[in-house]
Amino acid sequence: MLKDLDITPDDPEELRAVNRLLADEVKSQALMIEKLKHQLAGQNRHRFGVRSESRDQLNLTFEEDEAIAEAASEQTQPQTPSAEDKPSRRHSRKPLPDHLDRHDEVLSPGEDCTCCGGKLKTLGEDVTEELEYVPGRFVVNRIIRPRKACAGCEAIVQSPLPSRPIERGRPGPGLLAHVLVSKYADHLPLYRQSQIYAREGIDLDRSTMADWVGRSTALLEPLADEIGRIVRRGDALFADDTPVKMQAPGQKKTKTARVWTYVRDERPWVGQSPPCAWYQFTIERKGEHPVSHLAGYKGWVHADGYSGFNGLFGENKADEMACMAHVRRKFVDVFASQGNAIAEEAIRRTAELYAVEKEVRVKSPDVRVALRQARSKLIFDDLETWLHAQLPKISGKSPLAQAIRYALGRMPKARPYLENGHLELDNNTAERAVKPVAIGRKNWMFAGSEGGGKAMAIAFTLIETAKLNGVDPQAWLTWVLAQIADHKITRLDELFPWRYAA
C-alpha cells in the first residue's frame, strides 16, 4: 500500500515512480467504480417493481400444472375403466347454480318410427346441462333429448348426445377457451380464476379446471404442431428463449427450464404467409434442443449470441442473422450507468440504421435491398470502423470495451441484412413473442412438471398466433374447440386463425 512506502521527496526518480504507482491505482479504482456503477444500475433495473412470491403461491401453481399434465396424458391415452376400477381422480359434480340463464336445445328423434313408420310417443327425456361462458357472463346450455316409443313396434329411440370437447365433463367450448386465455394470455393462475368465479356464484375448483386445461391442450396439440411446420417452411425465422421455473421431480425446490419460441413473420417484406409463433418447452437450456426443433431447416435464423444456437449454422444448415438490438442494448446499459459519450455516439449511429428500417418496412424485398445499399451500408460500415478506432482509447476491462468487443463480434453476422430483403435488422420479433411468457412468469405462472410446460407451450402457440393475425384468441378457440373433436386431422388447415377471420 502507498501508506507503507518510505517516500523521500528529495529523490526525483522515486517521486516519478510513486506518481506512476498513484496513477495506476487511481486508474484501477476508477475502473472498479465504473464496473460497480454499471452492475448497480443493471441490478436496480431488474429489481425494482418485481414482487417476490410466497411458497404457498408457488405450490398452488405447481399443483395446477401437475394436474394439467396428468389430464393431458389421460386425454391422449384414453382408457375404459372396468367395473372394479376406481378413477384416479374425482371431481365434484355440484348442481349448476339456479340463477344462471338456461338455453334449451331439444334434440328430437322425430315423430315417426324408422323401423315401421308408426307414430312415436314421448316416454321421458334426458337433460344434459353444460356450463358455458359467453363474453361477460355464464350461461347453462340444456341439451334436452326426449326418449320416444313407437306405438306400432314399441321400439324406443333417442337422439345421440352431440360430440363435445371433453366427453365426460360439463364445460362448453366457450368456457374452455375462456379458462385457457385467462391462464395463458391474461396470466391468471387457476386458483385465482376459481376465486373470481366464486364471486359470481360459480363453484369451479381449480383441480377441475386443471383437468380441462390438460385435456384441451392435448386435443389442440395437432393444430399447434401444424403451426410449427408452417414456421419451419419460411425463408427466415426468429428464434429466442426465456427461462421459467419448474419444480424439480420429487423435490420442493425448483430448477430452471426454458421456453423456446420460433416466429415466422413476413409482413415487413409483404410475404404471403400468415404470421405464426411456435413454442417449445424443455427442462434445461442445452443447444441440442434448438437443433432438434429446427432439424433440417436451411433458411435464415435471426438469433442472439447464445452459443446453443451455433449447432443450427454451417454447411447444408441454416444461416445466421445477428441482432443489432442486442448490440445497441449493450451501449444503452453503459450510457444509463455512466453517461459515456462514446456509448451515446454508438447509440446515435445505430439509430440512423433504424431510421432507414422505418422506410423499408412493408416494402418488397428488392426495394428493401436497394434502399439499404444506398443508405444503410455506409452507416453500417462507418459504425464498424469507428468502433475499431475507439477500442484502443479505453481500458480493455471496462464495460464500454466489453460492449464494443461484443458489437464487433456480432456485426459481421448482422451484415447479411444489407443484401437480403427477407431479413430484419434485429431479433425483436422473437423477443416480443417471449414477452407473454415473461409476464406470466412474474404472475406466478410456473411449470409444475414437464407435462405442464408442454401444455403451456401448446397454449402459447395457439394464442400468440391468433394475436399475430389480429384474431381474438378466445373467440377463435371457442370456434375450434366446438368442432375439433370430430374434425379430420388431414383438414387441420381449415381451423387456422386466418381461416376463422376469413
Side-chain angles (χ1 to χ4, degrees):
M1 299 297 294
L2 291 176
K3 63 181 182 180
D4 299 326
L5 295 175
D6 184 12
I7 302 175
T8 55
D10 296 333
D11 189 339
E13 289 298 326
E14 286 193 26
L15 284 174
R16 280 192 288 268
V18 169
N19 285 337
R20 286 193 297 270
L21 185 59
L22 284 169
D24 290 342
E25 183 164 343
V26 168
K27 183 178 179 181
S28 175
Q29 290 177 345
L31 179 60
M32 179 59 69
I33 292 171
E34 184 180 344
K35 285 184 176 180
L36 292 175
K37 287 174 62 178
H38 184 72
Q39 293 173 4
L40 180 61
Q43 289 294 328
N44 285 340
R45 284 194 298 273
H46 286 86
R47 177 182 177 185
F48 292 115
V50 177
R51 297 179 60 187
S52 61
E53 313 301 342
S54 71
R55 175 56 58 184
D56 290 342
Q57 291 162 337
L58 297 184
N59 286 339
L60 285 171
T61 310
F62 289 147
E63 292 173 11
E64 287 178 5
D65 272 11
E66 288 174 350
I68 288 170
E70 185 179 350
S73 177
E74 291 179 4
Q75 179 73 12
T76 54
Q77 298 178 351
Q79 297 179 357
T80 304
S82 64
E84 295 82 12
D85 291 338
K86 294 182 179 179
S88 59
R89 291 177 295 139
R90 294 183 181 274
H91 302 292
S92 59
R93 281 297 188 93
K94 299 177 181 178
L96 296 177
D98 294 333
H99 70 273
L100 297 179
D101 292 340
R102 258 66 177 177
H103 296 169
D104 290 354
E105 177 185 1
V106 179
L107 301 180
S108 175
E111 299 298 328
D112 299 324
C113 178
T114 58
C115 297
C116 66
K119 292 295 181 181
L120 297 176
K121 60 180 180 180
T122 301
L123 301 177
E125 64 185 18
D126 290 334
V127 179
T128 302
E129 289 197 333
E130 175 184 89
L131 182 63
E132 181 62 297
Y133 180 85
V134 296
R137 61 193 175 96
F138 286 94
V139 298
V140 176
N141 292 332
R142 294 188 350 129
I143 303 172
I144 302 172
R145 298 181 296 135
R147 295 188 306 277
K148 296 188 175 183
C150 177
C153 65
E154 297 185 352
I156 297 177
V157 294
Q158 185 180 40
S159 296
L161 192 66
S163 178
R164 300 153 75 202
I166 298 178
E167 291 297 338
R168 295 191 299 274
R170 292 193 298 180
L175 179 55
L176 293 175
H178 180 63
V179 171
L180 285 171
V181 171
S182 295
K183 179 172 174 62
Y184 295 109
D186 299 331
H187 319 296
L188 288 172
L190 298 181
Y191 74 89
R192 285 191 190 169
Q193 293 189 48
S194 180
Q195 294 168 354
I196 293 171
Y197 303 151
R199 293 198 294 268
E200 299 185 38
I202 309 296
D203 186 3
L204 284 181
D205 190 84
R206 60 189 179 86
S207 64
T208 300
M209 289 188 287
D211 183 77
W212 295 351
V213 171
R215 293 181 183 277
S216 298
T217 51
L219 195 61
L220 295 165
E221 184 176 3
L223 188 58
D225 290 342
E226 189 60 31
I227 289 175
R229 283 187 279 273
I230 294 175
V231 169
R232 288 169 286 176
R233 287 198 289 264
D235 293 329
L237 58 82
F238 304 83
D240 201 2
D241 69 298
T242 191
V244 293
K245 293 294 183 182
M246 187 187 83
Q247 188 172 24
Q251 302 180 33
K252 293 184 178 180
K253 64 180 181 180
T254 63
K255 61 182 296 184
T256 300
R258 310 298 294 194
V259 174
W260 308 80
T261 183
Y262 306 96
V263 184
R264 179 182 180 182
D265 190 350
E266 300 178 356
R267 290 174 297 179
W269 50 272
V270 203
Q272 298 302 307
S273 174
C276 297
W278 181 48
Y279 295 78
Q280 293 288 281
F281 178 86
T282 62
I283 60 174
E284 78 276 300
R285 196 194 191 195
K286 292 182 179 179
E288 65 192 46
H289 297 306
V291 171
S292 172
H293 298 156
L294 299 181
Y297 182 73
K298 296 182 180 179
W300 287 89
V301 177
H302 296 74
D304 57 24
Y306 169 51
S307 60
F309 288 123
N310 292 344
L312 296 171
F313 311 123
E315 189 175 355
N316 294 322
K317 295 183 180 180
D319 295 308
E320 181 180 10
M321 174 62 202
C323 175
M324 283 299 291
H326 277 77
V327 171
R328 179 184 180 277
R329 199 169 299 148
K330 299 286 186 182
F331 292 108
V332 169
D333 290 343
V334 173
F335 181 73
S337 62
Q338 303 172 18
N340 186 280
I342 295 177
E344 184 179 20
E345 177 63 13
I347 295 169
R348 187 193 66 78
R349 289 170 178 256
T350 307
E352 294 180 357
L353 293 173
Y354 277 95
V356 179
E357 290 306 293
K358 287 183 179 180
E359 296 185 27
V360 305
R361 187 163 297 277
V362 198
K363 289 184 170 58
S364 69
D366 291 342
V367 172
R368 285 158 65 91
V369 170
L371 286 171
R372 286 169 175 173
Q373 288 291 317
R375 298 179 54 190
S376 298
K377 187 175 184 304
L378 180 60
I379 301 170
F380 194 95
D381 292 343
D382 285 348
L383 173 59
E384 196 169 21
T385 301
W386 179 78
L387 288 173
H388 276 291
Q390 303 310 307
L391 194 56
K393 301 178 182 179
I394 59 177
S395 171
K397 296 181 180 179
S398 66
L400 178 60
Q402 294 174 10
I404 292 177
R405 284 194 294 268
Y406 177 83
L408 293 175
R410 298 300 291 164
M411 288 184 70
K413 297 179 180 179
R415 186 174 288 276
Y417 96 101
L418 295 169
E419 301 175 351
N420 190 325
H422 301 89
L423 302 182
E424 290 291 290
L425 182 58
D426 54 42
N427 195 34
N428 285 350
T429 300
E431 292 198 1
R432 286 192 294 270
V434 299
K435 187 175 181 180
V437 183
I439 295 173
R441 187 174 62 221
K442 292 182 178 180
N443 285 270
W444 312 321
M445 192 185 67
F446 292 75
S449 66
E450 186 172 1
K454 180 180 178 182
M456 174 175 61
I458 293 169
F460 273 126
T461 295
L462 301 171
I463 291 170
E464 295 305 316
T465 296
K467 289 163 63 177
L468 283 174
N469 286 273
V471 172
D472 175 7
Q474 182 167 312
W476 172 60
L477 285 175
T478 300
W479 178 73
V480 170
L481 286 166
Q483 56 185 317
I484 195 170
D486 295 327
H487 201 82
K488 291 185 178 180
I489 198 167
T490 55
R491 294 164 51 194
L492 285 175
D493 60 302
E494 297 175 356
L495 300 180
F496 290 139
W498 48 91
R499 289 292 184 90
Y500 169 78

